[in-house]
Amino acid sequence: MKAGNNMKSSSRIVIVGAGILGSAVAYELARRGETDIVVLEAEAEFDAHSTGRSAAYFIPMYESQSFAALSKASIGFLENPPEGFSEDVLFRRDGALIAAGIGFGEQITEEVATARKLGLPVELLDRNGIKEWVPAVNAELFESAAYYPTAGEIDVAALVRAYRTNAQALGVTFVRGCRFLGTQVTQGRITRALTSQGDIVCENVVDAAGAWAAQVAGQAGGRALQSLVLRRHLLQAPVSGLPADARWPFFRCQSLALYFKLTDGVLSFSPMDADPSPVGDCVIDAPRVAATLATLSKLTNFKIGAADIRAVAGHRVFGSDHGPLIGEDPQQKGLYWAAGMGGCGIMAAPAVGEMISAALLNTPSAIDPAPSRIARFQP
Ligand SMILES: Cc1cc2nc3c(=O)[nH]c(=O)nc-3n(C[C@H](O)[C@H](O)[C@H](O)COP(=O)(O)OP(=O)(O)OC[C@H]3O[C@@H](n4cnc5c(N)ncnc54)[C@H](O)[C@@H]3O)c2cc1C
């Protein structure tokens, strides 16, 4: 897919952003027969922002119940994608432990009760159970944990690549290095998308612009909504002293501000920071990286060298109520948001793709869109 050379002058649907959400929407529309689509990506390379910087994990109970419902609706696709979708294994069940630091056990007990109500497989573990699953942690620092056996790792690069190649094979056009600039509206309907490579005659715009979603919606005549753009660091380093094929469940402790996962001898870990961040390229804070390494040393006995650490920082984007931003804009007909998926945009991408394509094609969807709907915000 070369940048710029396949620009179209007319397309029924213009999708802004070719990250996981824009690509999932393109694919879901195309496999339902709607292929008159152009996906615009401002960057010269794909996945330069959140999608290329994620921890790639699926945890069935994450962020909030509205996100959990979307993740639950997505696991079937991740575990059993359509025939021929990808040659790669997209999902590996390794489980996840969500641990409570001392004094926070009640929160985990409540989380387990909620997860059970939602029908999610979950076990409550004591300190010994934690140690058995993840021998590297200093178990005396933790009180209990929720263990989710159905959690697992997603191959994000393979998933997003498969969305794009399948969509493209079905007739969707992807254009890199092309920035969406606004719309022309005639009698209340979107009639053109204005881009850095010229105008596209169109009927619908899907806003899958990640951290830029509120800005893009504003350019397209949508409701002025504040989104929360929060920075999160992710560090990776090889671990010594462990068998190369050691795989443990993902481990996360909110009160002690650390999560980690081990894949093929490489540890990925994060301080779970959530600092408000300017929209744009997300930059690394060196003191935060050093503090995270200190936390890792306190909570675990992993042996990693500071010089081996590769750090990235990326945006997690939410609606102002910490919920998703999905569905048709209440102010501008024909403008659809596929954004605000926080820390769940990878694990819930299949559900977002399904919801937006059902809304655009006016077909039924098994997923209840109500909790995610953009229309929940008052004008
Ligand atoms: C450290 C970290 C860890 C995470 N871990 C997980 C995890 O374990 N599991 C999980 O499910 N999620 C995780 N997430 C969240 C996940 O990465 C995001 O929810 C997801 O990538 C959002 O995808 P997106 O397509 O909305 O955004 P992006 O990938 O940012 O894509 C948006 C695209 O829109 C383009 N764009 C913007 N403006 C324009 C314009 N005007 N014209 C054209 N193009 C434009 C941008 O260039 C960008 O490529 C994590 C995030 C971070 C930062």
Side-chain angles (χ1 to χ4, degrees), residues 191-213:
T191 50
R192 270 169 200 272
L194 317 178
T195 86
S196 58
Q197 291 187 25
D199 297 0
I200 306 169
V201 174
C202 71
E203 294 170 22
N204 298 107
V205 169
V206 177
D207 178 356
W212 292 263

PDB file of all heavy atoms in Angstrom, residues 191-213:
ATOM      1  N   THR A 191     -21.486  16.063   2.292  1.00  0.00           N
ATOM      2  CA  THR A 191     -21.404  15.805   0.845  1.00  0.00           C
ATOM      3  C   THR A 191     -19.958  15.638   0.370  1.00  0.00           C
ATOM      4  O   THR A 191     -19.708  15.089  -0.700  1.00  0.00           O
ATOM      5  CB  THR A 191     -22.080  16.933   0.035  1.00  0.00           C
ATOM      6  OG1 THR A 191     -21.575  18.190   0.511  1.00  0.00           O
ATOM      7  CG2 THR A 191     -23.586  16.902   0.183  1.00  0.00           C
ATOM      8  N   ARG A 192     -18.998  16.158   1.146  1.00  0.00           N
ATOM      9  CA  ARG A 192     -17.584  16.045   0.762  1.00  0.00           C
ATOM     10  C   ARG A 192     -16.716  15.941   2.007  1.00  0.00           C
ATOM     11  O   ARG A 192     -17.016  16.575   3.020  1.00  0.00           O
ATOM     12  CB  ARG A 192     -17.112  17.313   0.046  1.00  0.00           C
ATOM     13  CG  ARG A 192     -17.280  17.292  -1.423  1.00  0.00           C
ATOM     14  CD  ARG A 192     -17.043  18.678  -2.005  1.00  0.00           C
ATOM     15  NE  ARG A 192     -17.664  18.734  -3.306  1.00  0.00           N
ATOM     16  CZ  ARG A 192     -17.070  18.379  -4.433  1.00  0.00           C
ATOM     17  NH1 ARG A 192     -15.815  18.012  -4.430  1.00  0.00           N
ATOM     18  NH2 ARG A 192     -17.721  18.401  -5.580  1.00  0.00           N
ATOM     19  N   ALA A 193     -15.628  15.189   1.864  1.00  0.00           N
ATOM     20  CA  ALA A 193     -14.566  15.227   2.880  1.00  0.00           C
ATOM     21  C   ALA A 193     -13.424  16.033   2.276  1.00  0.00           C
ATOM     22  O   ALA A 193     -13.048  15.809   1.117  1.00  0.00           O
ATOM     23  CB  ALA A 193     -14.103  13.818   3.207  1.00  0.00           C
ATOM     24  N   LEU A 194     -12.892  16.962   3.039  1.00  0.00           N
ATOM     25  CA  LEU A 194     -11.778  17.787   2.567  1.00  0.00           C
ATOM     26  C   LEU A 194     -10.498  17.204   3.150  1.00  0.00           C
ATOM     27  O   LEU A 194     -10.422  16.958   4.365  1.00  0.00           O
ATOM     28  CB  LEU A 194     -11.965  19.237   3.025  1.00  0.00           C
ATOM     29  CG  LEU A 194     -13.397  19.806   2.897  1.00  0.00           C
ATOM     30  CD1 LEU A 194     -13.471  21.232   3.434  1.00  0.00           C
ATOM     31  CD2 LEU A 194     -13.862  19.761   1.434  1.00  0.00           C
ATOM     32  N   THR A 195      -9.521  16.942   2.310  1.00  0.00           N
ATOM     33  CA  THR A 195      -8.302  16.302   2.797  1.00  0.00           C
ATOM     34  C   THR A 195      -7.068  17.020   2.252  1.00  0.00           C
ATOM     35  O   THR A 195      -7.168  17.822   1.323  1.00  0.00           O
ATOM     36  CB  THR A 195      -8.221  14.811   2.374  1.00  0.00           C
ATOM     37  OG1 THR A 195      -7.649  14.730   1.066  1.00  0.00           O
ATOM     38  CG2 THR A 195      -9.573  14.124   2.374  1.00  0.00           C
ATOM     39  N   SER A 196      -5.923  16.665   2.809  1.00  0.00           N
ATOM     40  CA  SER A 196      -4.672  17.270   2.344  1.00  0.00           C
ATOM     41  C   SER A 196      -4.328  16.836   0.924  1.00  0.00           C
ATOM     42  O   SER A 196      -3.412  17.368   0.324  1.00  0.00           O
ATOM     43  CB  SER A 196      -3.535  16.899   3.301  1.00  0.00           C
ATOM     44  OG  SER A 196      -3.415  15.493   3.370  1.00  0.00           O
ATOM     45  N   GLN A 197      -5.056  15.833   0.390  1.00  0.00           N
ATOM     46  CA  GLN A 197      -4.813  15.417  -1.002  1.00  0.00           C
ATOM     47  C   GLN A 197      -6.018  15.671  -1.885  1.00  0.00           C
ATOM     48  O   GLN A 197      -6.231  14.988  -2.872  1.00  0.00           O
ATOM     49  CB  GLN A 197      -4.434  13.940  -1.029  1.00  0.00           C
ATOM     50  CG  GLN A 197      -3.075  13.675  -0.409  1.00  0.00           C
ATOM     51  CD  GLN A 197      -2.642  12.240  -0.588  1.00  0.00           C
ATOM     52  OE1 GLN A 197      -3.067  11.554  -1.504  1.00  0.00           O
ATOM     53  NE2 GLN A 197      -1.785  11.778   0.297  1.00  0.00           N
ATOM     54  N   GLY A 198      -6.857  16.614  -1.491  1.00  0.00           N
ATOM     55  CA  GLY A 198      -8.014  16.963  -2.325  1.00  0.00           C
ATOM     56  C   GLY A 198      -9.325  16.513  -1.706  1.00  0.00           C
ATOM     57  O   GLY A 198      -9.348  15.847  -0.667  1.00  0.00           O
ATOM     58  N   ASP A 199     -10.427  16.857  -2.369  1.00  0.00           N
ATOM     59  CA  ASP A 199     -11.762  16.563  -1.831  1.00  0.00           C
ATOM     60  C   ASP A 199     -12.220  15.165  -2.248  1.00  0.00           C
ATOM     61  O   ASP A 199     -11.869  14.685  -3.325  1.00  0.00           O
ATOM     62  CB  ASP A 199     -12.792  17.564  -2.367  1.00  0.00           C
ATOM     63  CG  ASP A 199     -12.483  18.986  -1.921  1.00  0.00           C
ATOM     64  OD1 ASP A 199     -11.489  19.175  -1.204  1.00  0.00           O
ATOM     65  OD2 ASP A 199     -13.258  19.882  -2.311  1.00  0.00           O
ATOM     66  N   ILE A 200     -13.049  14.569  -1.395  1.00  0.00           N
ATOM     67  CA  ILE A 200     -13.675  13.286  -1.744  1.00  0.00           C
ATOM     68  C   ILE A 200     -15.188  13.480  -1.623  1.00  0.00           C
ATOM     69  O   ILE A 200     -15.674  13.838  -0.535  1.00  0.00           O
ATOM     70  CB  ILE A 200     -13.236  12.155  -0.782  1.00  0.00           C
ATOM     71  CG1 ILE A 200     -11.710  12.053  -0.726  1.00  0.00           C
ATOM     72  CG2 ILE A 200     -13.867  10.829  -1.176  1.00  0.00           C
ATOM     73  CD1 ILE A 200     -11.194  11.146   0.384  1.00  0.00           C
ATOM     74  N   VAL A 201     -15.904  13.259  -2.690  1.00  0.00           N
ATOM     75  CA  VAL A 201     -17.368  13.305  -2.621  1.00  0.00           C
ATOM     76  C   VAL A 201     -17.801  12.097  -1.788  1.00  0.00           C
ATOM     77  O   VAL A 201     -17.394  10.962  -2.077  1.00  0.00           O
ATOM     78  CB  VAL A 201     -17.984  13.238  -4.041  1.00  0.00           C
ATOM     79  CG1 VAL A 201     -19.496  13.134  -3.965  1.00  0.00           C
ATOM     80  CG2 VAL A 201     -17.551  14.459  -4.846  1.00  0.00           C
ATOM     81  N   CYS A 202     -18.563  12.328  -0.716  1.00  0.00           N
ATOM     82  CA  CYS A 202     -18.925  11.198   0.164  1.00  0.00           C
ATOM     83  C   CYS A 202     -20.243  11.476   0.878  1.00  0.00           C
ATOM     84  O   CYS A 202     -20.777  12.581   0.802  1.00  0.00           O
ATOM     85  CB  CYS A 202     -17.812  10.946   1.176  1.00  0.00           C
ATOM     86  SG  CYS A 202     -17.685  12.233   2.424  1.00  0.00           S
ATOM     87  N   GLU A 203     -20.736  10.451   1.573  1.00  0.00           N
ATOM     88  CA  GLU A 203     -21.994  10.605   2.325  1.00  0.00           C
ATOM     89  C   GLU A 203     -21.769  10.490   3.826  1.00  0.00           C
ATOM     90  O   GLU A 203     -22.526  11.037   4.617  1.00  0.00           O
ATOM     91  CB  GLU A 203     -22.988   9.511   1.908  1.00  0.00           C
ATOM     92  CG  GLU A 203     -23.436   9.632   0.473  1.00  0.00           C
ATOM     93  CD  GLU A 203     -24.225   8.411   0.018  1.00  0.00           C
ATOM     94  OE1 GLU A 203     -24.779   7.676   0.871  1.00  0.00           O
ATOM     95  OE2 GLU A 203     -24.253   8.176  -1.209  1.00  0.00           O
ATOM     96  N   ASN A 204     -20.763   9.707   4.201  1.00  0.00           N
ATOM     97  CA  ASN A 204     -20.541   9.430   5.627  1.00  0.00           C
ATOM     98  C   ASN A 204     -19.075   9.575   5.976  1.00  0.00           C
ATOM     99  O   ASN A 204     -18.208   9.244   5.169  1.00  0.00           O
ATOM    100  CB  ASN A 204     -20.957   7.990   5.969  1.00  0.00           C
ATOM    101  CG  ASN A 204     -22.425   7.750   5.718  1.00  0.00           C
ATOM    102  OD1 ASN A 204     -22.790   7.082   4.764  1.00  0.00           O
ATOM    103  ND2 ASN A 204     -23.265   8.296   6.547  1.00  0.00           N
ATOM    104  N   VAL A 205     -18.834  10.021   7.202  1.00  0.00           N
ATOM    105  CA  VAL A 205     -17.469  10.064   7.727  1.00  0.00           C
ATOM    106  C   VAL A 205     -17.451   9.272   9.032  1.00  0.00           C
ATOM    107  O   VAL A 205     -18.328   9.443   9.888  1.00  0.00           O
ATOM    108  CB  VAL A 205     -17.022  11.527   7.980  1.00  0.00           C
ATOM    109  CG1 VAL A 205     -15.718  11.571   8.768  1.00  0.00           C
ATOM    110  CG2 VAL A 205     -16.861  12.271   6.655  1.00  0.00           C
ATOM    111  N   VAL A 206     -16.467   8.370   9.164  1.00  0.00           N
ATOM    112  CA  VAL A 206     -16.274   7.648  10.423  1.00  0.00           C
ATOM    113  C   VAL A 206     -15.025   8.221  11.082  1.00  0.00           C
ATOM    114  O   VAL A 206     -13.950   8.238  10.480  1.00  0.00           O
ATOM    115  CB  VAL A 206     -16.109   6.127  10.186  1.00  0.00           C
ATOM    116  CG1 VAL A 206     -15.838   5.411  11.508  1.00  0.00           C
ATOM    117  CG2 VAL A 206     -17.345   5.553   9.515  1.00  0.00           C
ATOM    118  N   ASP A 207     -15.185   8.694  12.299  1.00  0.00           N
ATOM    119  CA  ASP A 207     -14.093   9.321  13.036  1.00  0.00           C
ATOM    120  C   ASP A 207     -13.409   8.255  13.909  1.00  0.00           C
ATOM    121  O   ASP A 207     -13.892   7.902  14.977  1.00  0.00           O
ATOM    122  CB  ASP A 207     -14.680  10.450  13.902  1.00  0.00           C
ATOM    123  CG  ASP A 207     -13.627  11.143  14.762  1.00  0.00           C
ATOM    124  OD1 ASP A 207     -12.464  10.718  14.751  1.00  0.00           O
ATOM    125  OD2 ASP A 207     -14.013  12.114  15.454  1.00  0.00           O
ATOM    126  N   ALA A 208     -12.294   7.731  13.389  1.00  0.00           N
ATOM    127  CA  ALA A 208     -11.508   6.727  14.137  1.00  0.00           C
ATOM    128  C   ALA A 208     -10.112   7.301  14.339  1.00  0.00           C
ATOM    129  O   ALA A 208      -9.106   6.625  14.128  1.00  0.00           O
ATOM    130  CB  ALA A 208     -11.469   5.410  13.364  1.00  0.00           C
ATOM    131  N   ALA A 209     -10.081   8.574  14.754  1.00  0.00           N
ATOM    132  CA  ALA A 209      -8.817   9.322  14.772  1.00  0.00           C
ATOM    133  C   ALA A 209      -8.103   9.267  16.113  1.00  0.00           C
ATOM    134  O   ALA A 209      -7.207  10.079  16.371  1.00  0.00           O
ATOM    135  CB  ALA A 209      -9.075  10.765  14.350  1.00  0.00           C
ATOM    136  N   GLY A 210      -8.468   8.329  16.981  1.00  0.00           N
ATOM    137  CA  GLY A 210      -7.742   8.131  18.238  1.00  0.00           C
ATOM    138  C   GLY A 210      -7.710   9.405  19.074  1.00  0.00           C
ATOM    139  O   GLY A 210      -8.753  10.011  19.353  1.00  0.00           O
ATOM    140  N   ALA A 211      -6.515   9.840  19.452  1.00  0.00           N
ATOM    141  CA  ALA A 211      -6.374  11.027  20.302  1.00  0.00           C
ATOM    142  C   ALA A 211      -6.925  12.279  19.621  1.00  0.00           C
ATOM    143  O   ALA A 211      -7.257  13.256  20.281  1.00  0.00           O
ATOM    144  CB  ALA A 211      -4.905  11.225  20.654  1.00  0.00           C
ATOM    145  N   TRP A 212      -7.011  12.243  18.302  1.00  0.00           N
ATOM    146  CA  TRP A 212      -7.493  13.405  17.532  1.00  0.00           C
ATOM    147  C   TRP A 212      -9.003  13.346  17.311  1.00  0.00           C
ATOM    148  O   TRP A 212      -9.547  14.173  16.565  1.00  0.00           O
ATOM    149  CB  TRP A 212      -6.789  13.468  16.179  1.00  0.00           C
ATOM    150  CG  TRP A 212      -5.329  13.780  16.245  1.00  0.00           C
ATOM    151  CD1 TRP A 212      -4.753  15.014  16.082  1.00  0.00           C
ATOM    152  CD2 TRP A 212      -4.247  12.865  16.483  1.00  0.00           C
ATOM    153  NE1 TRP A 212      -3.388  14.905  16.216  1.00  0.00           N
ATOM    154  CE2 TRP A 212      -3.054  13.601  16.461  1.00  0.00           C
ATOM    155  CE3 TRP A 212      -4.179  11.493  16.735  1.00  0.00           C
ATOM    156  CZ2 TRP A 212      -1.803  13.014  16.668  1.00  0.00           C
ATOM    157  CZ3 TRP A 212      -2.933  10.916  16.941  1.00  0.00           C
ATOM    158  CH2 TRP A 212      -1.768  11.668  16.912  1.00  0.00           C
ATOM    159  N   ALA A 213      -9.695  12.400  17.895  1.00  0.00           N
ATOM    160  CA  ALA A 213     -11.113  12.172  17.550  1.00  0.00           C
ATOM    161  C   ALA A 213     -11.977  13.408  17.793  1.00  0.00           C
ATOM    162  O   ALA A 213     -12.815  13.764  16.947  1.00  0.00           O
ATOM    163  CB  ALA A 213     -11.657  10.976  18.332  1.00  0.00           C
TER     164      ALA A 213
END
